[in-house]
Amino acid sequence: MKLFLVIFLSLTASLTYASDPSPLQDFCVSDNASQLFVNGKVCKDPKLAQANDFFFSGLDKPGNTANPLGSKVTPVNVAQIRGLNTLGISMVRIDYAPGGQNPPHTHPRATEILTVLEGSLYVGFVTSNSDNRLISKTLQKGDVFVFPEGLIHFQQNVGYKNAVAIAALSSQNPGVITVANAVFGSKPAISTDLLAKAFQVDKMVVNNLQSQFWMDNN
């Protein structure tokens, strides 16, 4: 019985572990020159750490929204701040032109909490199968909204001026999967027969969508 309890608790602990590993030292500044492949980044000698390892400048500057989506995400994760390695947190600035959107996407490794700094945003996320319930709200300056880890979510500027938001994420490297890009812009392309059946549309529609995303990516 004791052995069963130990095995059960071990399995439960492993199943409920759903965030970045906790640090086992004060910090673990990433060594980007290392050739080792680990879950995260290799640490450099802590005695060589400097203030710039924990620093990023430029989040006050607006992103360029002159693109088809009318938005620009400026990330601040372990790729920009090496000292974020093992700390389980990152952030982004998002700029939106009027009507611009951060299209439906997921972060496979992070929950996101978003704060509107300027403008008005329509935001939402969709719950998992089989409910697929849309939970959405229009946010104003100073409002905060949370997107649970792994769920498809989006934001759109519904005001007449540029909008700006800051979001924090519960991973040093949250990852982004933009739904349309992944489905219609994969390399190599997903079978048109498969996608036509999945979306219940004609194959010509799928071909047209795939050609648009392939054009954008090349």
Side-chain angles (χ1 to χ4, degrees), residues 68-86:
L69 292 174
S71 68
K72 174 63 176 178
V73 177
T74 303
V76 185
N77 56 45
V78 71
Q80 287 77 39
I81 301 182
R82 298 195 298 166
L84 278 178
N85 193 35
T86 76

Side-chain angles (χ1 to χ4, degrees), residues 10-190:
S10 298
L11 288 172
T12 303
S14 64
L15 289 172
T16 56
Y17 187 79
S19 61
D20 286 2
S22 298
L24 299 177
Q25 61 280 319
D26 287 346
F27 51 80
C28 172
V29 176
S30 65
D31 179 2
N32 292 342
S34 173
Q35 299 300 308
L36 292 176
F37 186 80
V38 298
N39 184 24
K41 301 275 188 180
V42 174
C43 306
K44 76 175 185 180
D45 186 341
K47 294 178 182 177
L48 301 178
Q50 301 176 359
N52 280 343
D53 292 326
F54 304 89
F55 173 78
F56 176 86
S57 179
L59 215 57
D60 59 317
K61 295 177 175 61
N64 183 3
T65 59
N67 56 66
L69 292 174
S71 68
K72 174 63 176 178
V73 177
T74 303
V76 185
N77 56 45
V78 71
Q80 287 77 39
I81 301 182
R82 298 195 298 166
L84 278 178
N85 193 35
T86 76
L87 298 186
I89 193 169
S90 60
M91 66 186 301
V92 298
R93 169 181 172 140
I94 315 171
D95 290 274
Y96 314 81
Q101 64 173 250
N102 192 8
H105 64 282
T106 72
H107 301 294
R109 296 178 289 275
T111 293
E112 176 181 347
I113 182 166
L114 178 139
T115 304
V116 179
L117 300 184
E118 296 291 343
S120 179
L121 295 178
Y122 172 62
V123 308
F125 64 86
V126 180
T127 63
S128 55
N129 296 355
S130 58
D131 288 343
N132 298 130
R133 186 161 65 99
L134 173 63
I135 296 177
S136 62
K137 191 171 181 65
T138 299
L139 307 181
Q140 307 298 334
K141 181 177 179 179
D143 290 345
V144 178
F145 200 83
V146 173
F147 305 106
E149 181 174 343
L151 296 186
I152 293 173
H153 59 283
F154 60 86
Q155 306 105 36
Q156 182 169 30
N157 182 357
V158 291
Y160 298 101
K161 298 180 180 180
N162 290 347
V164 184
I166 290 283
L169 300 110
S170 61
S171 171
Q172 68 180 40
N173 184 24
V176 181
I177 302 172
T178 305
V179 176
N181 296 57
V183 172
F184 298 109
S186 68
K187 298 178 181 179
I190 299 174

